Amino acid sequence: MNILFLGAPGCGKGTQSKKLIKEYGIPQISTGDLLREEIKSGSTLGEELQEIMSTGKFVSDDLVLSLVSKKITQDECKSGFILDGYPRNISQAKSLDLLFTEKNINLEYVFLIDVPFSTLIERCTGRLLCTTCDYIGNTDRGEKIGDKCEEGELYQREDDKEETVKNRLNVYKEQTAPIIEFYENKGILHKMIGGNDPDALSGKISTILKS
Ligand code: AMP
């Protein structure tokens, strides 16, 4: 089962991917997470990435393609995978198509999660991550930076500051939104409305996957 999530920053791609990991036992490939891991490692590449990502711009197509192609060909992805955050422009979508053809991989489902930009700004600027686990918190639930979470504590992603979120949404509109048509033409796109109920949305996604 090979699945791809499309949608603007904060639409819930990560949350829905994590639900599918639990339900189907297939791994998530999130380019944002892979890039943040590189930053955490403290490498020179990580320092360069930090600078680019803190402005909300994209990192190079070649770099993300090499990260994705390395992951997709690993044994853990043999029974399927969930792509989250890739592709993000037409050139990446075409490179991914080539990679799939080369590796004989069939992309079966593309889920687009549609959420109004005003909601996304609120969600992203309030979002808090944990330094150690996958927990995603939010200031609208009364949580704050520095709150304890299992072994870690909550922090705000550098690129979730309001100015950067607005830049990321503009980049999405200009570069990522055109991909929607690319997958629509392939007949594998499912448009979903992302509200404030992630369980209801995952129920709808499961129904499509089981049909
Ligand atoms: P995300 O966690 O998916 O919101 O990604 C965080 C940041 O990582 C983005 O704003 C980009 O700077 C970078 N990034 C993630 N995925 C890609 C991609 N496919 N192409 C280029 N840059 C990316």
Side-chain angles (χ1 to χ4, degrees):
M1 190 178 280
N2 303 319
I3 300 166
L4 193 159
F5 276 109
L6 267 184
C11 72
K13 301 186 294 290
T15 305
Q16 292 304 322
S17 300
K18 288 191 172 79
K19 284 178 180 289
L20 291 184
I21 298 173
K22 276 198 190 144
E23 202 171 335
Y24 293 96
I26 50 175
Q28 171 199 25
I29 305 172
S30 154
T31 44
D33 285 350
L34 292 171
L35 295 165
R36 280 185 288 278
E37 270 170 31
E38 188 64 42
I39 293 175
K40 264 194 192 160
S41 78
S43 66
T44 316
L45 172 62
E47 280 171 24
E48 287 166 26
L49 294 174
Q50 165 86 16
E51 214 175 300
I52 301 169
M53 287 163 68
S54 64
T55 63
K57 288 186 194 146
F58 285 169
V59 308
S60 88
D61 289 349
D62 287 347
L63 175 70
V64 276
L65 175 64
S66 76
L67 290 174
V68 169
S69 93
K70 209 161 112 189
K71 273 269 171 191
I72 259 174
T73 46
Q74 285 173 355
D75 273 357
E76 59 167 342
C77 290
K78 269 196 176 142
S79 326
F81 52 78
I82 305 154
L83 261 178
D84 160 11
Y86 187 88
R88 263 175 143 108
N89 58 33
I90 286 285
S91 154
Q92 291 182 9
K94 289 184 178 164
S95 301
L96 185 66
D97 242 23
L98 276 179
L99 178 69
F100 284 160
T101 308
E102 246 176 66
K103 307 285 177 200
N104 221 351
I105 293 171
N106 186 25
L107 180 63
E108 293 154 296
Y109 301 94
V110 177
F111 292 105
L112 166 68
I113 309 179
D114 205 12
V115 178
F117 275 17
S118 53
T119 309
L120 293 174
I121 294 172
E122 270 174 38
R123 263 196 211 168
C124 284
T125 53
R127 176 164 64 181
L128 298 174
L129 302 188
C130 172
T131 48
T132 52
C133 72
D134 276 349
Y135 180 75
I136 303 174
N138 205 293
T139 51
D140 68 8
R141 295 201 293 263
E143 293 166 308
K144 331 181 270 312
I145 293 173
D147 278 358
K148 298 284 173 232
C149 168
E150 295 190 4
E151 287 157 46
E153 61 179 52
L154 301 184
Y155 72 98
Q156 184 183 42
R157 262 171 61 172
E158 187 63 30
D159 58 355
D160 276 344
K161 305 232 160 86
E162 188 167 340
E163 198 54 33
T164 313
V165 170
K166 286 182 177 162
N167 285 342
R168 289 164 67 204
L169 290 173
N170 279 334
V171 173
Y172 173 82
K173 202 159 63 183
E174 282 166 17
Q175 299 198 43
T176 312
I179 301 181
I180 296 168
E181 202 184 332
F182 182 87
Y183 288 113
E184 224 162 19
N185 291 340
K186 287 180 180 287
I188 52 173
L189 186 87
H190 300 268
K191 281 190 197 174
M192 323 291 296
I193 304 295
N196 281 326
D197 188 347
D199 291 333
L201 181 57
S202 70
K204 286 182 189 152
I205 291 173
S206 286
T207 306
I208 293 172
L209 293 176
K210 283 171 187 153
S211 66

